[in-house]
Amino acid sequence: MSSHEIPAAELAALDAHWRAANYLAVGQIYLMANPLLTEPLRPEHIKPRLLGHWG
């Protein structure tokens, strides 16, 4: 292994962290309720109008 290679375990942990961060970001942007998907996703869980920094 060269000095530029990332160990597989560290790469897997980084990938899991990245996916979790993306999941949280999408939940904050699009969902009004049920962010942990404790029940099947329904249309009423989704924000009707997305308002962000420029909206």
Side-chain angles (χ1 to χ4, degrees):
M1 176 163 65
S2 73
S3 61
H4 298 292
E5 291 182 24
I6 299 172
E10 187 175 343
L11 194 57
L14 180 61
D15 180 61
H17 178 81
W18 183 263
R19 287 183 288 116
N22 284 333
Y23 177 86
L24 291 172
V26 168
Q28 288 177 333
I29 292 169
Y30 292 102
L31 297 179
M32 289 192 315
N34 193 23
L36 298 178
L37 298 178
T38 55
E39 58 185 82
L41 193 58
R42 295 191 315 263
E44 56 266 19
H45 295 150
I46 300 171
K47 292 178 183 176
R49 182 167 180 233
L50 298 177
L51 294 176
H53 182 71
W54 293 279

